[in-house]
Amino acid sequence: MSWFSLLFGPTGWGPLLLKGTVITVLLSLTTVPFGFGGGLLLAVLKLSNNRAVRIACDAYTTFFRGIPDLLSLFIVYFGLQSLLNLSAQVFGDAWRIEMNAFIAGVIALSVVVAAYSSEVWVASLKAVPVGQSEAAKSLGLHPKQVFFLIVLPQLGRVALPGLGNIWTILVKDTSLISTLAVMDLLRASSEASRATTRPLLFYSAAAAIYLIFSIVSGVGQAYLERRSNQGYA
Amino acid sequence: MLDTLQNVAGFVVNIDLLSTYGYRLLLGLQITAEVVLISCSLGFVLAYPLSRARMSKNLFISSPALAYVTFFRGTPLLCQLYLVYYGAGEFRPFFQSIDLWWFFRDAFYCCIFAFTLNTCAYQAEILRGAIQSVPKGQIEAARALGLSGYSIARYVVFPQALLVALRPLGNELIGIIKASALAAIVTLLDLMGETRFVFAKTFDFSIYLYAAIIYLAITQAISRLWNWMELLLSRHLLAGRPATMVLGPGARQGQAALDPLRAET
């Protein structure tokens, strides 16, 4: 069969690849709030006055940045599973919960992305002049208000390039989730190439879709950076 | 109750597991080291011409180089690895006819091939950024003094560019060590592959933690080695400054200064 009908024909594999693409996008987008949010939380804790908290957060970051992403995913995935089994042993069978692979994937990716992004957040937290929060404090703002109204809005501009890098890493890392039985883009192309024995075609199609993502992300990132730097010259 | 306690303890430490399967992890570590060292050094050798092509003013040379770099940095390494490992099978008669099938049949060589192509793209961008970071005035001054093209590269550009490239190249080495775990997915028994093998046999989760400790020790060691190397090689720039400035604010955390992410240059 020609490559065209294999992809777009009535019995073609295009729809499966499209579904996989949607899953890949969903995986990346769902991870963003948890991953980047978790990273921000870690960053705030890293700058805390409590030594133990600082050490714990640094250890977390060092661990997950120092081991392969694939291993992190396995550790989180199988670790969660073992913990669930363990809790079933301790608390009885009512606690035996089956894990949804997609949710496990999002948790695993969030753990990794939080570790990566916390370093970016720390750098941008340090880039906001101390005078800003001191001035807000002297105006009588609550510490929460100081953070959410004064510091947080200024973080985005500085953090954007770093977070953009992590976003591209995240999109590529979703391909690792294919090893955990989530039907993402890469797994969909694996299925297709196994059924048709045309791996070159389907992996090239997957690569092309990933490439489009990274190019679009790059353009979007450049736009956002230009926008957020308005007025800073 | 005792049983449960043992289960909880076994979740963290399991000596039996290590004494039975520990050697397997070491065997895997050797494969990981071979794959990383070969592909990183081959990638480095190929990265220089690629970076020159990227900087070329001739569009017929620079645009293929740009396409190469964009492709290998914009798609997941796992996808590239599948393309090489499974894709090569489609050309089996061809590879057999030119006597190269032994190469593409073997997961070990496929991994080295894919990792080399990938790291080459990243390293080329690092080198390009570093070479372009050398001020133009330096090269113009050298030319005005009558230095040859070779001398300019050897005595003016490279010493400054390689110092700039040192840290990102270290990050790339760490990146490749971490990425080499993907080799396990195409059946290579590297450190990650052996770990998966042991897990499949014993269903003991702690083997993953032992593998993590080994990876962590290696990446941390490299990270520290690189910090030390950078300090050593840039001491002429730092001479006369107070020690705190030399070590920098990140020095307290040691590794935090070196970013294992593949920083975009």
Side-chain angles (χ1 to χ4, degrees), chain B residues 109-120:
Chain B
Y109 294 119
C110 280
C111 284
I112 288 180
F113 188 72
F115 293 164
T116 303
L117 293 182
N118 181 272
T119 190
C120 175

Side-chain angles (χ1 to χ4, degrees), chain B residues 87-158:
Chain B
E90 278 191 49
F91 297 111
R92 184 172 173 176
F94 168 71
F95 284 131
Q96 276 171 334
S97 72
I98 57 167
D99 232 1
L100 265 181
W101 179 239
W102 58 272
F103 185 91
F104 287 101
R105 195 189 54 196
D106 194 334
F108 180 75
Y109 294 119
C110 280
C111 284
I112 288 180
F113 188 72
F115 293 164
T116 303
L117 293 182
N118 181 272
T119 190
C120 175
Y122 280 94
Q123 291 190 35
E125 284 301 276
I126 293 169
L127 289 180
R128 184 179 68 91
I131 290 172
Q132 287 179 340
S133 79
V134 176
K136 258 201 181 127
Q138 299 257 348
I139 299 160
E140 283 164 6
R143 208 171 285 147
L145 286 171
L147 266 68
S148 69
Y150 169 79
S151 299
I152 294 176
R154 165 73 180 79
Y155 297 106
V156 180
V157 179
F158 282 176

Side-chain angles (χ1 to χ4, degrees), chain B residues 44-116:
Chain B
F44 184 72
V45 172
L46 296 173
Y48 180 64
L50 183 61
S51 72
R52 296 309 299 219
R54 234 348 227 109
M55 289 185 285
S56 166
K57 288 195 181 82
N58 185 339
L59 266 182
F60 289 102
I61 297 175
S62 69
S63 41
L66 175 65
Y68 178 91
V69 168
T70 311
F71 177 81
F72 279 99
R73 300 198 332 158
T75 57
L77 179 56
L78 187 57
C79 190
Q80 296 160 17
L81 192 57
Y82 282 172
L83 265 175
V84 172
Y85 185 65
Y86 296 112
E90 278 191 49
F91 297 111
R92 184 172 173 176
F94 168 71
F95 284 131
Q96 276 171 334
S97 72
I98 57 167
D99 232 1
L100 265 181
W101 179 239
W102 58 272
F103 185 91
F104 287 101
R105 195 189 54 196
D106 194 334
F108 180 75
Y109 294 119
C110 280
C111 284
I112 288 180
F113 188 72
F115 293 164
T116 303

Side-chain angles (χ1 to χ4, degrees), chain A residues 54-73:
Chain A
R54 274 205 315 264
I55 290 176
C57 292
D58 281 336
Y60 174 91
T61 314
T62 308
F63 182 78
F64 282 107
R65 289 187 357 152
I67 67 174
D69 295 346
L70 185 65
L71 186 54
S72 312
L73 298 185

Side-chain angles (χ1 to χ4, degrees), chain A residues 65-66 89 116 165 172 200, chain B residues 73 90 122 178 219 260 264:
Chain A
R65 289 187 357 152
Q89 269 181 13
Y116 286 163
N165 278 346
K172 290 190 271 174
L200 205 59
Chain B
R73 300 198 332 158
E90 278 191 49
Y122 280 94
K178 291 166 63 183
T219 49
E264 306 271 327

Side-chain angles (χ1 to χ4, degrees), chain A residues 36-143:
Chain A
F36 286 178
L40 180 57
L41 186 69
L42 268 179
V44 172
L45 292 178
K46 272 185 198 174
L47 298 174
S48 102
N49 292 323
N50 188 328
R51 208 177 125 83
V53 170
R54 274 205 315 264
I55 290 176
C57 292
D58 281 336
Y60 174 91
T61 314
T62 308
F63 182 78
F64 282 107
R65 289 187 357 152
I67 67 174
D69 295 346
L70 185 65
L71 186 54
S72 312
L73 298 185
F74 280 9
I75 284 179
V76 174
Y77 185 76
F78 293 118
L80 279 177
Q81 217 156 41
S82 311
L83 278 179
L84 286 177
N85 287 343
L86 204 64
S87 69
Q89 269 181 13
V90 177
F91 299 110
D93 274 342
W95 283 70
R96 201 172 286 282
I97 310 161
E98 277 301 308
M99 217 175 12
N100 176 315
F102 182 89
I103 294 176
V106 169
I107 294 175
L109 282 174
S110 301
V111 164
V112 176
V113 169
Y116 286 163
S117 63
S118 71
E119 293 290 290
V120 173
W121 287 120
V122 166
S124 47
L125 278 170
K126 282 182 183 160
V128 176
V130 190
Q132 296 275 333
S133 45
E134 280 172 357
K137 236 177 268 168
S138 69
L139 283 173
L141 266 67
H142 189 267

Side-chain angles (χ1 to χ4, degrees), chain A residues 20-21 23-32 69-70 73 102 105-106 109 113 166-180 182-187 210 213, chain B residues 76 78:
Chain A
T21 308
I23 296 285
T24 291
V25 174
L26 278 180
L27 261 176
S28 324
L29 288 180
T30 323
T31 303
V32 163
D69 295 346
L70 185 65
L73 298 185
F102 182 89
V106 169
L109 282 174
V113 169
I166 294 171
W167 162 257
T168 51
I169 293 173
L170 166 63
V171 172
K172 290 190 271 174
D173 267 5
T174 55
S175 67
L176 305 181
I177 301 291
S178 64
T179 57
L180 305 180
V182 175
M183 193 52 94
D184 76 327
L185 174 56
L186 195 60
R187 199 181 178 86
Y210 280 116
F213 272 140
Chain B
L78 187 57

